[in-house]
Each structure stands twice: as C-alpha cells, then as structure tokens.
C-alpha cells in the first residue's frame, strides 16, 4: 500500500524533474509514512510514499524488472501474489522478493494488459514500458484505490490524490454544472470528479494506455460484472460461504498484524467471524459509536466480540471542531458530504494506533441486497402506479406533519415522508439509486441555473437500462446494479479510502472479491431482498456464527447525528457559513433566501435538513478554499 505519483513529458521528451516528483510524493506522506522513493529516467518519472505491509524489506517501490525495461508503482494489495509468483516461476520468471508488487510487475511484463485479469486484490498502478514508450494506468475492478491524471502543458501527471499535483498544475479548472447537480443530489460528485475539465479519474475495472506524443489514451475495460439474475440453486448458501471464506483468508495475507472494523452489523461481524475461524493472529476489533444512544451501535459490536472471543477497542465520536472538520473535508479531492465519513475517520484514527491494515464489511449490502431502499423500491414501483393526483395529495399532507429530531431512519413519520418523496423522485429520475441529498425540485429552487442539468445522469452507467413498463422486481434489481457501478465507487469506496489513508491505515474489503461478486451479482431477487426482509441468503450463512440479535437486527447505518450537532455545537458555525454577513460563504448563483429558510426550519425542529445543510457547509468550505475553481460552474 502506498501513494503513487508520476510525471511524463510524453510530447516533448523533456527531462522529468526529480524535485517535482519528490514534492508530489511528499504530499502523500500520510498514505505512506514508511519511506519515499523515486525513479527518473529521461522524460518519465515515478515516485511513491510507502506503507509497508507485505515484504517490508524487499517490496520497496518504484520497482523495475532486472533489465530495466518495465517499471511499476502500485498502490494497494495483490492478495493472490503467492499464486501468481508460483505460476510465473514455473514459466521461468525469476523473483528477487516475496512482495506483491513484484508479482504484479512480472505478471504485466509477461502477459501484458491481460495480466490485469489475473490480479485479485485492490490496486491502482502505473506500469511503464521504457522500450515501447507506453504507460498503463489501471484500477481494480470496483475502484477501491484511487488514481487521477491530468495534462498540464506538455506534462502528463498522475497520482493517488489530486492534492499531490503541484499547485501550478491544478488549474485552471472549472466546476462542471452537471457534477455540481450530481453532488447536490447524491452528496458526492459523480465519478469522483468535480473538475472534469482539469482532472480525470481512471474508471474502475479499466486501464488507460498512453503513448509517447500527444494522442489521447486508449481506454481498455478488462472486467465487467454480469448482474443478470439466474434461477436459485440449492447450494447457494454453501457456495456463498465458501467464496467468502476464501476472500477473508486472502485479505488476511500480510506480514504485519491486522485488525477488523466491527460495527456490530451482519457484514462486519461475519467478516470478523471468518477471520477468527481462519486463525488470524493477534486479531483486534475496532468500533466507533456516539454518545447519542439513537445512533450508537457499540452494544452490538460488543456482543459480536464476546461471541467471537475478540478483543475490542472503542471510540466515542464527538462533533469535530472546525479545525478537525476542515482536515476531514480537505482530505477528499473535492466536495464530499457523506456524513458517515465522520465516524469512519474516527475509527480509522483509533485502529491506526496499533494496526496498519484492517478488514471491514463494506460492500456486503450492495452484493447481498442489504439496503432498505431495495425493499422500498419494490413498493414504490407499485405505489407509482396509483393516480398522480392521489399521490401528490398524500405527499402534500405528509409535509404538514413535523419531522422533529428523532433518530435518523427511526421516526415513522420521517420514514413515511422519505418513502413518498422517494417515490416521486424515482418517477422523475429513474437512474437515481438514493435520494440522500436534495430532490430535483429542491435543486431547481436552490440553484436555478442547474435546472437544465437535472434531466439526465452524468454517467451513462447510472442510467436505468429498463423498459418503460419494467416490473417492480426489475426496477429494484436495476437499482442494485447501479449501486455497484456508481454508488459503490463514487461514494462508499472514496469515503473509506480517504478517511483511512489520512491516518495511514489500509482497509481491506472481502465482500469485493471479484469471484464472490460474480456469484452474488447473479443471485435471484428473492435471495437478496423481499418487501419484508433484507439479505436472506447471507443471513442464513451468518446465523452459523453470530447471535440472533445481530443477524436479525434492523439495519442502522453509520451516519452521524448531524441534525442534533447542527442545532447544538455546530449551530453558529453553520449559520455563519450559510447565512452570515453577505449571504454566507456559498458560491454565486445560490438562492440565499432558500438556504436561510432551510436553516431556520431545521433549527426550529420543523424539518430535518441535517444531511443537506452539511452538504452546503462542505461546499462553502471548498468555495472559500478554491473560489477560482467553483466560480465558473454556470458555464456548463
């Protein structure tokens, strides 16, 4: 695991400046505190900041083949490196180390781009062929590890975070209007790009092949998930268990002790159980909770730890002060307002005190149908068949009932209002998976200039592939498919990577093993969710290891109690940022009176706008930090 950066004067052949590479790697010191190194040859240079987990003495990077033709910098872990090494040795390929980096280097040198298909793991890599003058930038199948690139003058720059790029090479840039609309709708920018005219992200399961000169790169897709449902099989539970066992064992491969992030939910608890079953040495669990009992899951994490005989370390998440909140906000590559980043940040900080790597249960909900919204989609599809006049009257009536300040997702009134609003939004925008942020109508009122960008999704894969008359089952399964290709890489994996790597912690996700994913993606709907149950198949597996109160507990999520924090310790901070002197700190074009009304409704307990106000606060902080980037958003 490390942070990687590189620079190539591919058009002019000018020498790559070693001092620039060194500064770029230094900006990623948090991703790799165990050492930095660079390799410069002519117009091309690579540099890394390393977090040493596999073969600490031998796996230094950047790494080259003995004759120097091929070079690699790898961020992530190749879990099947021992298998690859054995296969390549049988073909006569020599090895100098036991590192996963050398296994990936040799696989790509031997098999070319098809070598990517042989890698099991999470990775973002740069692979340079000095003889052919080609550069391959590639990411893992789901996008667990980030990789950005941009052209600046005659230089191609790439790196694990945009913050690694030299300041003079980060602009000029302009916020894309469609990306801003996507951010307000989903609380995160689509495809991880807020400034797509300047900085680009290598897509998951893709490689970009650059050649000397100025031609655009070739885009190569090396893997695609087939999510076509199949018929149920009698051994589905056994096969799921066998695949998950193998995935957990692979994720335990390390030359340092590992831990596990334990929320007390089914997914993380099952990962912990299988890690214990696999004989993981010195395994420790880490969990985060809140003083607010409505949001605190630590009792379930303790129950799981007791059942498994696991030592558990805990932290209580307090509302971050302005300085700490800024550190979190600017650890991302642009505005990012998924509030679960706050407890993720806290538990990563706790785990990093004693571990370099941990396993976690992220991805289980997408793979095995754990989100309530899938069940709700079955119902909204049927609800939307009712006459529109009846539905609008019901929605209007629901808005007359105050939400109050009950726990997120617990208030029956709030759930009913969320269901009715979601049904309307899904009818307007069938590609949306979540309605976490602003609705289309709210965005139009908040930023009138964005209205033209609300009609279609930013990324083609976000679009629904269904016919207009698709049934409820098809609509719900299509929502899950889009979670796998959009929500997972755009939100969840970005959140985990930046929050953890800010503390030099690697998070490994067994549920994203591609063999397990290929199996789970084709499960029939009834094995994933019904109108009354989530994850029935996975819960059959979990029941072998975990107590009933964990297996069958309602899903709670990991969101922070933003509503109460904004009414309490953050009250004046948010008021100043959003409605203060001169209209607050939001960019031009925002409807100030609409924002002020939202703030007052929230503070008066007439509505819960916590997630939406937090998204505006994050945007305001970025506007203050990069006004030149956000100033041109209305240009489209």
């Amino acid at each position: 695991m490390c942070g990687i950066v590189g620079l190539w004067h591919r058009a002019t052949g000018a020498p790559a400046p070693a001092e620039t590479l060194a500064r770029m790697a230094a900006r990623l010191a948090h991703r790799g505190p165990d050492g930095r190194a660079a390799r410069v040859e002519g117009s091309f240079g690579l540099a890394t900041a390393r977090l040493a987990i596999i073969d600490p003495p031998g796996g230094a990077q950047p790494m080259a083949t003995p004759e120097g033709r091929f070079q690699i910098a790898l961020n992530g872990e190749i879990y099947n490196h021992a298998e690859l090494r054995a296969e390549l040795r049988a073909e006569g390929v020599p090895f100098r180390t036991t590192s996963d980096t050398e296994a990936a280097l040799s696989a790509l040198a031997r098999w070319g781009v098809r070598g990517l298909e042989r890698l099991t793991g999470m990775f973002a890599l740069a692979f340079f062929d000095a003889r052919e003058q080609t550069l391959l930038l590639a990411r893992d199948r789901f996008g667990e590890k980030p990789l950005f690139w941009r052209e600046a003058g005659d230089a191609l720059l790439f790196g694990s975070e945009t913050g690694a790029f030299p300041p003079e090479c980060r602009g000029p840039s302009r916020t894309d209007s469609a990306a801003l609309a996507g951010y307000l709708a989903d609380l995160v920018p689509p495809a991880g790009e807020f400034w797509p005219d300047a900085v680009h992200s290598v897509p998951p399961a893709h490689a970009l092949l650059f050649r000397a000169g100025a031609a655009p790169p070739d885009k190569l897709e090396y893997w695609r998930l087939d999510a076509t449902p199949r018929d149920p099989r009698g051994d589905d539970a056994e096969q799921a268990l066998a695949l998950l066992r193998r995935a957990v064992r692979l994720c335990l491969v390390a030359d340092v002790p590992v831990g596990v992030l334990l929320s007390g939910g089914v997914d993380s608890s099952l990962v912990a159980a299988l890690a214990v079953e696999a004989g993981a040495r010195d395994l420790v669990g880490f969990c985060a909770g809140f003083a607010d009992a409505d949001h605190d899951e630590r009792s379930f994490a303790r129950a799981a730890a007791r059942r498994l005989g696991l030592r558990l370390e805990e932290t209580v998440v307090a509302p971050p002060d302005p300085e700490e909140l800024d550190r979190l906000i600017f650890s991302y590559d642009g505005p990012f307002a998924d509030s679960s980043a706050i407890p993720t940040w806290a538990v990563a900080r706790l785990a990093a005190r004693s571990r370099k790597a941990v396993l976690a249960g992220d991805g289980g909900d997408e793979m095995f149908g754990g989100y309530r919204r899938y069940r709700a989609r079955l119902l909204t599809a049927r609800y939307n068949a009712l006459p529109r006049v009846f539905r609008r009257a019901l929605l209007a009536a629901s808005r007359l009932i105050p939400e109050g300040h009950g726990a997120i997702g617990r208030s029956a009134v709030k759930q009913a209002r969320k269901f009715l609003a979601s049904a309307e939004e899904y009818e307007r925008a069938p590609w949306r998976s979540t309605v976490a942020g602003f609705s289309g109508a709210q965005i139009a009122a908040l930023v009138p200039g964005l209205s033209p960008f609300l009609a279609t999704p930013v990324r083609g894969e976000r679009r629904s592939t269904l016919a207009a008359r698709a049934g409820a089952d098809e609509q719900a399964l299509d929502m899950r498919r889009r979670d796998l290709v959009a929500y997972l890489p755009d939100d969840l994996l970005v959140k985990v990577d930046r929050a953890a790597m800010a503390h030099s912690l690697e998070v490994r996700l067994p549920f994203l093993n591609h063999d397990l994913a290929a199996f789970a993606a084709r499960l029939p709907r009834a094995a994933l969710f019904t109108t009354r149950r989530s994850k029935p198949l996975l819960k059959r597996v979990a029941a072998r290891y975990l107590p009933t109160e964990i297996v069958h507990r309602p899903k709670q999520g990991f969101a922070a109690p933003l509503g109460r924090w904004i009414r309490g310790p953050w009250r004046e901070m948010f008021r100043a940022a959003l409605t203060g002197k001169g209209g607050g700190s939001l960019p031009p074009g925002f409807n100030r009176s609409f924002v002020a009304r939202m703030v007052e409704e929230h503070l008066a307990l007439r509505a819960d706008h916590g997630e939406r106000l937090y998204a505006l606060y994050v945007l305001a902080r970025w506007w203050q930090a990069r006004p030149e980037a956000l100033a041109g958003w209305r240009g489209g």
Side-chain angles (χ1 to χ4, degrees):
M1 174 65 71
C2 66
I4 67 173
V5 295
L7 187 154
W8 186 18
H9 287 288
R10 66 187 184 115
T12 64
E19 63 277 8
T20 299
L21 280 169
R23 288 196 298 269
M24 291 170 68
R27 295 188 185 99
L28 296 181
H30 54 282
R31 298 187 75 95
D34 294 332
R36 296 195 294 272
R39 182 184 179 95
V40 179
E41 291 187 5
S43 61
F44 181 79
L46 279 175
T48 59
R50 188 182 181 214
L51 180 65
I53 292 175
I54 293 177
D55 190 6
Q61 300 186 48
M63 187 178 288
T65 49
E67 80 291 348
R69 173 182 171 181
F70 300 106
Q71 305 171 34
I72 194 171
L74 170 72
N75 172 27
E77 303 292 350
I78 307 302
Y79 302 133
N80 66 332
H81 67 91
E83 299 168 16
L84 289 172
R85 190 179 303 109
E87 182 178 355
L88 288 162
R89 273 181 171 152
E91 296 184 11
V93 177
F95 280 84
R96 298 158 289 168
T97 75
T98 60
S99 72
D100 61 327
T101 300
E102 188 179 17
L105 171 65
S106 299
L108 292 170
R110 183 76 169 180
W111 300 315
V113 71
R114 294 188 63 85
L116 295 171
E117 302 170 12
R118 312 288 289 275
L119 305 183
T120 296
M122 56 176 182
F123 57 86
L125 61 84
F127 177 77
F128 186 68
D129 184 338
R131 188 176 75 187
E132 298 297 325
Q133 289 290 287
T134 60
L135 170 67
L136 193 73
L137 300 181
R139 284 178 78 196
D140 61 69
R141 293 166 178 84
F142 289 101
E144 293 183 65
K145 294 291 102 183
L147 186 55
F148 297 94
W149 65 278
R150 73 158 300 164
E151 302 271 12
D154 69 334
L156 168 68
L157 297 102
F158 55 90
S160 299
E161 297 178 14
T162 61
F165 296 158
E168 65 272 16
C169 296
R170 297 179 198 168
S173 58
R174 184 182 62 184
T175 303
D176 181 79
S177 296
L180 181 57
Y183 168 77
L184 293 171
D186 298 331
L187 308 182
V188 300
E193 298 186 8
F194 209 74
W195 298 287
D197 67 331
V199 179
H200 309 277
S201 175
V202 178
H206 280 74
L208 300 181
L209 182 65
F210 294 85
R211 295 179 173 85
D218 295 333
K219 186 177 180 181
L220 312 169
E221 183 180 38
Y222 67 87
W223 186 79
R224 176 174 291 190
L225 190 65
D226 180 4
T228 307
R230 59 164 174 77
D231 292 334
R233 298 170 184 161
D235 65 343
D236 278 341
E238 292 300 328
Q239 190 173 355
L241 176 57
L243 288 167
L244 187 54
R245 273 178 173 152
R246 181 175 185 273
V248 169
R249 289 193 179 102
L250 286 171
C251 286
L252 289 171
V253 173
D255 293 323
V256 297
V258 300
V260 59
L261 302 185
L262 189 60
S263 70
V266 173
D267 302 334
S268 66
S269 299
L270 183 54
V271 166
L274 295 177
V276 170
E277 180 186 71
R281 61 185 178 91
D282 197 20
L283 191 68
V284 180
F286 303 94
C287 76
F290 298 93
D292 183 335
D294 290 332
H295 289 76
D296 193 29
E297 297 184 278
R298 285 176 296 160
S299 63
F300 295 103
R302 292 168 191 151
R306 282 194 301 270
R307 169 64 71 92
L308 302 174
L310 193 64
R311 181 163 66 88
L312 183 67
E313 296 184 12
E314 304 178 18
T315 186
V316 177
V317 184
D321 61 32
E323 293 74 21
E324 179 76 0
L325 188 57
D326 269 359
R327 283 193 289 272
L328 186 154
I329 288 171
F330 294 116
S331 69
Y332 292 83
D333 299 283
F336 185 91
D338 182 339
S339 70
S340 63
I342 297 172
T344 303
W345 176 277
V347 76
R349 180 173 54 202
L350 171 69
R353 293 171 185 166
S354 61
R355 294 293 182 273
K356 289 184 175 182
V358 293
L359 278 62
D362 300 83
D365 286 319
E366 291 80 5
M367 292 300 165
F368 287 95
Y371 291 121
R372 280 193 296 261
R373 61 178 175 264
Y374 302 150
R375 295 154 52 199
R377 186 65 177 210
L378 292 174
L379 298 173
T380 58
R382 298 164 188 170
Y383 171 79
N384 282 339
L386 296 173
R388 180 172 295 183
V389 64
F390 172 80
R391 289 185 279 121
R392 288 188 172 174
L394 193 58
L395 180 61
S398 74
R399 289 172 175 156
L400 300 177
I401 306 172
E403 286 183 1
H405 57 281
I408 293 175
R410 293 298 185 185
S411 162
V413 171
K414 182 170 181 176
Q415 284 298 321
R417 290 183 63 180
K418 185 176 181 180
F419 172 82
L420 296 173
S422 297
E424 292 293 314
E425 188 67 10
Y426 291 147
E427 184 178 50
R428 183 197 68 81
W431 63 83
R432 289 192 69 174
S433 174
T434 66
V435 187
F438 293 85
S439 69
Q442 289 172 327
I443 295 173
L446 175 67
V447 195
L450 290 182
S451 294
F453 300 92
L454 300 176
T456 58
V458 177
R459 290 171 51 184
E461 57 264 42
R462 284 175 170 255
R463 294 178 183 146
S464 175
T465 59
L466 300 177
R469 296 183 179 276
D473 279 19
E474 295 167 291
Q475 291 185 39
L477 287 171
D478 186 62
M479 173 183 279
R480 171 177 170 263
R481 178 193 67 80
R482 284 178 282 115
D483 273 351
L484 290 168
V485 299
Y487 171 70
L488 189 64
D490 290 2
D491 187 333
L492 190 149
L493 298 179
V494 175
K495 173 195 72 178
V496 170
D497 176 82
R498 305 308 189 280
M501 292 309 297
H503 299 93
S504 308
L505 180 73
E506 174 180 289
V507 179
R508 301 175 169 195
L509 306 178
F511 278 106
L512 297 190
N513 175 279
H514 70 277
D515 291 325
L516 177 64
F519 163 80
R522 298 206 59 201
L523 286 170
R525 195 269 297 163
L528 300 169
F529 50 87
T530 69
T531 55
R532 299 177 63 87
R533 300 174 63 205
S534 296
K535 294 194 281 200
L537 179 69
L538 189 67
K539 288 180 179 179
R540 282 171 53 195
V541 173
R544 304 184 188 188
Y545 296 90
L546 304 172
T548 300
E549 62 265 28
I550 290 178
V551 175
H552 296 295
R553 60 174 291 220
K555 181 172 178 60
Q556 186 166 335
F558 205 32
L562 295 177
R564 295 184 183 181
W565 288 356
I566 294 169
R567 294 185 187 103
W570 284 355
R571 185 185 187 101
E572 296 309 316
M573 179 174 77
F574 269 58
R575 259 189 164 153
L578 302 181
T579 65
K581 185 177 180 180
S585 305
L586 288 167
F590 277 69
N591 184 336
R592 262 57 181 180
S593 62
F594 184 82
V595 175
R597 186 163 64 251
M598 287 179 61
V599 171
E600 293 311 311
E601 285 177 352
H602 184 83
L603 296 180
L605 297 178
R606 293 196 300 271
D608 186 351
H609 293 307
E611 297 283 348
R612 292 179 284 277
L613 293 178
Y614 180 67
L616 293 178
Y617 179 83
V618 170
L619 191 64
R621 295 299 299 133
W622 272 93
W623 166 246
Q624 289 179 313
R626 290 194 66 184
E628 79 289 347
L630 292 174
W633 68 265
R634 276 195 288 187

